[in-house]
Amino acid sequence: MKPAYSEKRLQLLDTAERLFSEKGFDGTSVRDIAEEAGINTAMISYYFGSKEKLMEAIFEERSLNVREKVDLLLKDDSLDPLQKMYRLLDEYVEKIMQRKKFHRILLCEQVINQNPIIIEMLAKIKSRNLSSINDVIRLGQKKGLFKKQVDVPMMMNTLIGTISHMLVNLDFYKAYHHLETLTDEEFEKTLKKKLSAHIKIIFKAILSHES
Amino acid sequence: MKPAYSEKRLQLLDTAERLFSEKGFDGTSVRDIAEEAGINTAMISYYFGSKEKLMEAIFEERSLNVREKVDLLLKDDSLDPLQKMYRLLDEYVEKIMQRKKFHRILLCEQVINQNPIIIEMLAKIKSRNLSSINDVIRLGQKKGLFKKQVDVPMMMNTLIGTISHMLVNLDFYKAYHHLETLTDEEFEKTLKKKLSAHIKIIFKAILSHES
DNA sequence: ATCAATTAAACAAACGTTTAATTAACTTTG
DNA sequence: CAAAGTTAATTAAACGTTTGTTTAATTGAT
C-alpha cells in the first residue's frame, strides 16, 4: 500500500473509474478491474488497501471544488454579478462534462453509498461550494441586481440536476436532435454550448427581478 | 412462478424496492430481501423467476406514464398552454415524490443497468412521454404564446433532473432551511410547493418570449 | 388424492482479501 | 566494478464467505 504515484496505481484507478461508471461499485469485481488493467488482482489491495479504499481514492482525485474559481470571480471587477454566475455555471458544465465517468459514479453513489468516509467527503465539499456561491449571490443582492429571496440550494439543485441528468440521457439527446453524424468532440462542444445557454436563461429568471 | 397478485408477491416487491433504493441492485442479495420480508428465499425464484425479473417487475409496476394526463390536459379548454405545462410539471413533481424509492432506483439504474428489457422499457416510456409533451408545446406555439425554438428534451431534462437531484439531497436541503422540526408530511408538502414554484419560473422563462 | 405453496438444504460460481514465494530494482560492501 | 544483501514489486494460489438458483421433501387446502 506504499507508493502514492506509480503508473500501475494510476492505471488501476482509471480502469476502476471506467468500470464503476459502467457497472456500478457492487457490479464490478476486483478481478474485472485487474484483468482489464492487465495487472494482478492482489495489486489492488497492495496499492489501495481494499476495494472500498480504491473508491475513496477515486473520490479524492476527482471531486469538484469551486472555491478557487469563486475567489477569482469575486475579485474580478470587470464582471457584474450575473456574469460571475454565468462564469460559475460554465465552470460546472465544463468540469462535469470533463469528468463524465466520475460524475456518473457520483450520481449512483449519492443514492446507494453507505461508506461514512465518502458521505463525509461529499457533505464537506457540498457545504463549502454552497457557501462560496452564496458569496456571489449576496454581492448581487447588495448591488440590487438579484432578488432578495433566492433559494440557492434549489438553484444549485437545478444546475447540477440538469447537467447530471444529461449525462444519463446523452444518447437519447443526440438521437433526438440527429447529431449522430458529429464527431465526439463536435457533439461535446455543441452540447456544452446548449447546456450553457439553457442554464443561463434559467439562472437569469431565478436571480433577476422581472415580471 | 405462477400467481400474479398474492400478498407474499407484493410483500417481496415492496421490500425489494426499498432495499434496491437503499443499497442498489447489486448491493442487495436475495437473502436480504427474503429475510426482511419474512419469506423463504426460494419464493423469489418461485414468484418472479429470478432476481433480474424481480427488478423488471418493479419497473413495470412503478414507471411513470403521462400520456393519459396529457390527453386530459389537451382537451381542457379552460387552461391556456402555459397553465397546461404547469399542471404537467406538477404531475411530475407529485408522482416522483410519491414514488421516491423507485425513482432513486431509476436514477442509479439509468447509469448502471445492462438489462436489455429494462433499457427497452425506459426508451419506450421516454419517447412516448416526450411525444405527448410535444403536443402541448406545439399548441402553445400555434397560439403564439411559446417561443418557436424550444429544446423540449432539454427542458424535460431540467424538470426531471431538478426533481431527481432533490431526491438525493433531501436531507441536505432540509437541514439548510432548518426544516427538521416539521413532520415528514409537512416537509413533503412544503418541498413540493417549493419545487413546483421553482420549476414554474424556469418553464416560463424557457417557453415564453421576453427579453 | 391432487396440486399449489412453502421449506431447508445443497449447488457451483464468484466474491474480496491474504498468503507465501518469486522476481526486479537498488544499496552496500569488499 | 562486481558480488552480496536488502527492500520493493509482483505473482499464482488458496482462504473463507457470500452469491443466485435449484432441488427434493413437506405442508396445507381442496
Side-chain angles (χ1 to χ4, degrees):
Chain A
M1 212 202 308
K2 309 269 182 65
Y5 300 99
S6 83
E7 195 170 333
K8 296 214 173 188
R9 205 195 96 106
L10 287 176
Q11 174 69 30
L12 283 172
L13 208 113
D14 283 352
T15 308
E17 184 189 36
R18 179 169 58 80
L19 290 176
F20 287 163
S21 79
E22 289 170 358
K23 314 198 289 175
F25 179 76
D26 291 309
T28 306
S29 73
V30 293
R31 282 171 181 84
D32 286 341
I33 300 168
E35 193 175 330
E36 295 228 5
I39 296 172
N40 190 283
T41 310
M43 298 302 281
I44 289 176
S45 296
Y46 180 73
Y47 277 120
F48 300 97
S50 69
K51 188 189 174 191
E52 290 266 337
K53 286 180 187 162
L54 165 54
M55 182 63 135
E56 293 165 21
I58 291 176
F59 271 73
E60 269 155 19
E61 306 221 350
R62 304 285 205 261
S63 286
L64 173 60
N65 186 339
V66 297
R67 169 163 295 176
E68 289 178 27
K69 182 73 183 177
V70 171
D71 283 348
L72 283 173
L73 245 27
L74 282 172
K75 283 183 205 151
D76 191 337
D77 295 329
S78 71
L79 299 170
D80 69 40
L82 187 59
Q83 284 172 320
K84 286 179 206 268
M85 286 305 294
Y86 284 176
R87 291 285 179 94
L88 189 64
L89 155 189
D90 280 334
E91 176 82 0
Y92 271 90
V93 172
E94 184 65 38
K95 283 283 162 59
I96 294 177
M97 282 293 151
Q98 209 172 74
R99 301 176 188 178
K100 284 197 268 300
K101 279 176 282 183
F102 171 70
H103 277 88
R104 287 202 184 97
I105 297 176
L106 184 57
L107 211 49
C108 295
E109 292 307 307
Q110 281 188 284
V111 178
I112 289 175
N113 184 68
Q114 325 256 22
N115 182 336
I117 291 179
I118 291 184
I119 292 174
E120 172 71 9
M121 206 148 71
L122 291 179
K124 269 191 182 162
I125 290 173
K126 224 184 294 183
S127 296
R128 228 170 31 193
N129 286 348
L130 193 57
S131 104
S132 290
I133 291 153
N134 260 321
D135 293 345
V136 187
I137 302 291
R138 271 192 292 270
L139 183 70
Q141 291 171 324
K142 218 168 158 183
K143 293 197 175 181
L145 295 167
F146 291 172
K147 282 181 202 161
K148 281 189 178 168
Q149 299 293 340
V150 179
D151 189 338
V152 183
M154 182 64 92
M155 187 183 69
M156 293 308 293
N157 186 58
T158 287
L159 171 64
I160 296 170
T162 296
I163 308 173
S164 295
H165 198 71
M166 181 56 84
L167 285 186
V168 311
N169 269 335
L170 270 188
D171 292 341
F172 185 84
Y173 191 78
K174 191 190 281 190
Y176 186 91
H177 286 298
H178 308 100
L179 265 30
E180 296 102 330
T181 53
L182 271 54
T183 66
D184 285 356
E185 293 88 32
E186 285 171 340
F187 172 65
E188 184 135 337
K189 206 178 158 188
T190 305
L191 180 62
K192 283 194 283 195
K193 273 190 189 167
K194 286 193 186 238
L195 272 171
S196 173
H198 173 75
I199 304 174
K200 275 173 189 160
I201 291 171
I202 293 174
F203 269 32
K204 193 178 181 190
I206 294 174
L207 291 169
S208 55
H209 15 218
E210 294 163 20
S211 72
Chain B
M1 213 201 310
K2 309 270 181 64
Y5 299 100
S6 83
E7 196 168 336
K8 295 213 173 190
R9 205 195 96 104
L10 288 175
Q11 174 69 28
L12 283 172
L13 207 113
D14 284 352
T15 308
E17 184 189 37
R18 180 168 58 80
L19 290 176
F20 288 162
S21 79
E22 288 168 0
K23 315 198 290 176
F25 179 76
D26 291 309
T28 306
S29 73
V30 292
R31 282 172 182 82
D32 286 341
I33 300 167
E35 194 174 330
E36 295 227 7
I39 296 171
N40 189 283
T41 309
M43 297 302 281
I44 288 176
S45 296
Y46 181 73
Y47 278 119
F48 300 97
S50 69
K51 189 189 173 190
E52 289 268 337
K53 286 181 187 161
L54 165 54
M55 183 65 133
E56 293 165 20
I58 291 175
F59 271 73
E60 270 156 17
E61 305 221 350
R62 304 285 206 261
S63 286
L64 174 58
N65 185 339
V66 297
R67 169 162 294 177
E68 289 178 27
K69 181 73 182 180
V70 171
D71 283 347
L72 283 175
L73 245 27
L74 282 172
K75 284 183 206 151
D76 191 336
D77 295 328
S78 71
L79 299 170
D80 69 41
L82 187 59
Q83 284 172 320
K84 287 179 206 269
M85 286 304 293
Y86 285 176
R87 290 285 178 94
L88 189 63
L89 152 190
D90 280 334
E91 177 82 359
Y92 271 89
V93 172
E94 183 65 39
K95 283 284 162 57
I96 294 178
M97 283 293 150
Q98 208 173 74
R99 300 175 187 178
K100 284 197 269 299
K101 279 176 281 184
F102 171 70
H103 278 88
R104 288 202 183 96
I105 297 176
L106 184 57
L107 211 47
C108 295
E109 292 307 306
Q110 280 187 285
V111 178
I112 289 176
N113 185 68
Q114 325 256 23
N115 182 335
I117 291 178
I118 290 183
I119 292 174
E120 172 72 9
M121 206 149 69
L122 291 180
K124 269 192 182 160
I125 289 173
K126 226 185 291 184
S127 297
R128 226 169 34 192
N129 286 347
L130 194 56
S131 104
S132 291
I133 291 154
N134 260 322
D135 293 344
V136 186
I137 303 290
R138 271 193 291 269
L139 183 71
Q141 290 170 326
K142 217 167 160 183
K143 293 197 176 182
L145 295 166
F146 292 172
K147 283 181 200 160
K148 278 188 182 170
Q149 299 293 341
V150 178
D151 189 338
V152 183
M154 182 63 94
M155 187 184 68
M156 293 309 292
N157 187 59
T158 287
L159 170 64
I160 296 171
T162 297
I163 308 173
S164 294
H165 198 71
M166 181 56 84
L167 285 186
V168 310
N169 269 335
L170 269 187
D171 292 341
F172 186 83
Y173 191 79
K174 191 190 279 190
Y176 187 91
H177 286 299
H178 307 102
L179 267 26
E180 297 101 332
T181 52
L182 270 55
T183 66
D184 285 355
E185 292 88 30
E186 285 170 341
F187 172 66
E188 184 135 336
K189 205 177 157 188
T190 306
L191 181 63
K192 283 193 284 194
K193 273 191 190 167
K194 285 192 187 240
L195 272 171
S196 173
H198 173 75
I199 303 173
K200 276 172 189 162
I201 291 172
I202 293 174
F203 269 33
K204 192 180 182 190
I206 293 174
L207 291 170
S208 55
H209 15 218
E210 293 164 20
S211 73

